[in-house]
Amino acid sequence: MHPPTPNDDGAATLARWQADEASVRERNRRYGLSRPEQVAPLSGQQFFDAVFAGELPLAPIFETLDFVPIHMARGVAVFQGRPLARHYNPMGTVHGGWFATLLDSAVACAVHTALPAGKTYTTVELKISLVKALTAKVPLVRAEGRLIHLGRSLGTADGRLVGPDGTLYAHASTTCFVLDRPPSP
């Protein structure tokens, strides 16, 4: 993972981000759904390790909306997306739903990375603030989610959507309900 660095005009960060994305796409080009028996024995971090190793597929939404997971560690989730004209709203900027999907993925997966085997989660609240319009002129953005709290039944996280030059486009917070994973059939 390569965040923007101080005094970086964005070009060097963009090049690092492009290399990070190429590495992820090289390891896993499959989209689809994991079977329950594949994920049941895995902790959240083990699940993401299997995705990055190409053992489990990338989620279909990543292909649909042009974003990929870049980095997962306990309590941290980073996704990277390419805003395109096909994501535009009628006003000619990227639709808020695209921002929300990218940020929801980052903040919810920050919770997911910290879950033990046998647990799953669902988002019960997502709060997002869009602070700057986004167009296809911005080549890549990153949604970075960080765990705030994980208890027996609730997890919370917050996140930021930034460009390679450090520009903040949106920020979000989530509350996730933690529950027991249903037994595999």
Side-chain angles (χ1 to χ4, degrees):
M1 179 178 71
H2 297 103
T5 56
N7 303 319
D8 183 350
D9 66 0
T13 298
L14 177 60
R16 288 190 304 269
W17 286 9
Q18 289 168 327
D20 291 345
E21 183 173 332
S23 175
V24 169
R25 291 186 185 279
E26 183 178 303
R27 287 177 280 155
N28 196 344
R29 295 179 184 270
R30 292 183 309 130
Y31 295 95
L33 299 176
S34 301
R35 294 184 316 277
E37 64 272 12
Q38 291 176 295
V39 298
L42 304 177
S43 70
Q45 187 60 54
Q46 289 170 325
F47 170 81
F48 289 111
D49 291 346
V51 169
F52 283 116
E55 297 163 8
L56 294 175
L58 294 164
I61 192 72
F62 303 158
E63 183 176 33
T64 301
L65 294 181
D66 300 300
F67 69 98
V68 293
I70 293 292
H71 172 78
M72 301 289 167
R74 188 183 194 292
V76 177
V78 179
F79 286 82
Q80 183 166 291
R82 184 167 283 101
L84 300 171
R86 69 179 178 197
H87 303 136
Y88 279 14
N89 60 30
M91 277 69 74
T93 60
V94 172
H95 192 281
W98 191 84
F99 283 75
T101 303
L102 201 56
L103 278 163
D104 181 41
S105 296
V107 295
C109 288
V111 172
H112 188 178
T113 63
L115 293 179
K119 295 290 184 178
T120 188
Y121 73 97
T122 189
T123 300
V124 295
E125 178 184 56
L126 176 67
K127 198 277 188 203
I128 181 171
S129 295
L130 287 74
V131 297
K132 185 172 174 90
L134 185 57
T135 69
K137 291 179 184 176
V138 178
L140 291 173
V141 291
R142 278 203 171 171
E144 303 174 2
R146 296 203 176 271
L147 181 69
I148 297 171
H149 168 78
L150 180 61
R152 287 184 314 148
S153 59
L154 289 178
T156 59
D158 62 8
R160 299 165 42 93
L161 184 69
V162 298
D165 63 353
T167 299
L168 177 68
Y169 291 95
H171 54 92
S173 62
T174 193
T175 301
C176 294
F177 184 59
V178 176
L179 55 153
D180 293 330
R181 182 175 294 285
S184 295

